[in-house]
Amino acid sequence: MLLHKMASLQKPLGELGLIEQIRREFSAGSKAITLGIGDDCAILHPPAGAEVLVTTDFTLEGRHFRRDLHPPESVGHRCLARGLSDLAAMGATPLAAFLSLALPGAMLAESAGRDWVARFFSGLRALGELHRVPLAGGDTSESPGGNKGLILADIVLVGSAPKGAALRRSSGTAGDALYVTGQLGGAAAELATMLKRQRRILKTPTTEGHPHLFPEPRLDAGEALLRRQLATACIDMSDGLSTDLAHLCRSSGVCAEIEQAALPIHPLARKLGTEAALETALHGGEDYELLFTAPASVLMPTSLAGVPITRIGSIKHRRSGRPLMTMLTPDGSRVELQPGGWEHFSGIAKDRKKRPH
Ligand code: ADP
Ligand code: MG
């Protein structure tokens, strides 16, 4: 996908000027939107017989991105991608996005700040257009702290799914096979390289091949899983395979066993060496791939919507004394797998200070 520019913001802008610019740039119509940016509320029109799904995600400077490290297009892309990935995990179709944005006061007064904002919206818009998800509203405010204020964004995604059909984390069943889309560990590997370089990637002409900067939410694969009734349970991997698999297992009341040799490790992770590659594939977060279960009897396609599907293990009954997750290693032994990916407030995550998650 090529990035294209939002018209650069030439003059000093106030809140109203910025909203007007956003309205102009994002006014593409959509059947799902009866009324978009410009009134007190948006009016959405979900398809007949659909349920409405809603998810919200913060993107906070210093926690999820660093202004000195991430190109602004990536920040806008990732902001929307997080919400889209949650919709993908439920098999939902996006209807509209809403963005609440707080910017340091000086940002709209200086051309470098306005350039940052324009590039942020370019990244967000490019991904929105790719998945035909319009921006239907939001809020804009000055963040506290004067020039030292932070950029804070909160995205709300509204989607739809046929009544009763949305994929959940809670319906995995003993005997099911366990699958992932795409490859694992690429995002954490790219981030590790960025942190080592400590230098901002100034511009990237395309979004491809950058699993950390430009993750690809698996909307089409999620919709296909729902439509073809292939999956019993599904979750998106925002926190890493080990952590998100633990969520699925707890929520479904089951255990899981994965096979180390079956893990599809991303080439960027492989470059880190065998041991680090495995670590990254198991525990590195933000791949935004889907992790799902399906009855072993289902003939699973090798790819869905152009994304490879890999069987990585199976689901087992919960029994006392049985670890929640185990891993079968290539020498045939079984090790207990601990959730080692990112868990907020748990103190488990390594390099916590370094990771802008
Ligand atoms: P109100 O004060 O009634 O909440 P605002 O002045 O905040 O209205 O917003 C005016 C319109 O612009 C609304 O439709 C709102 O959804 C939209 N809007 C405000 N900020 C953003 C933003 N950051 N992104 C998209 N739409 C926005
Ligand atoms: Mg408002």
Side-chain angles (χ1 to χ4, degrees), residues 203-281:
K203 274 220 162 119
T204 45
T206 89
T207 59
E208 267 133 60
H210 294 284
H212 171 75
L213 292 173
F214 297 101
E216 297 176 38
R218 297 305 188 192
L219 281 158
D220 294 344
E223 283 177 58
L225 286 175
L226 182 149
R227 193 178 58 250
R228 294 166 64 174
Q229 300 187 328
L230 291 171
T232 41
C234 187
I235 186 170
D236 70 315
M237 286 183 282
S238 48
D239 297 336
L241 170 62
S242 60
T243 297
D244 290 312
L245 179 57
H247 292 323
L248 189 148
C249 286
R250 286 210 185 85
S251 180
S252 294
V254 295
C255 295
E257 178 157 284
I258 62 171
E259 281 168 49
Q260 186 184 325
L263 295 174
I265 301 181
H266 194 285
L268 288 179
R270 286 188 191 281
K271 275 202 212 159
L272 304 174
T274 317
E275 207 173 306
L278 177 62
E279 238 341 70
T280 310

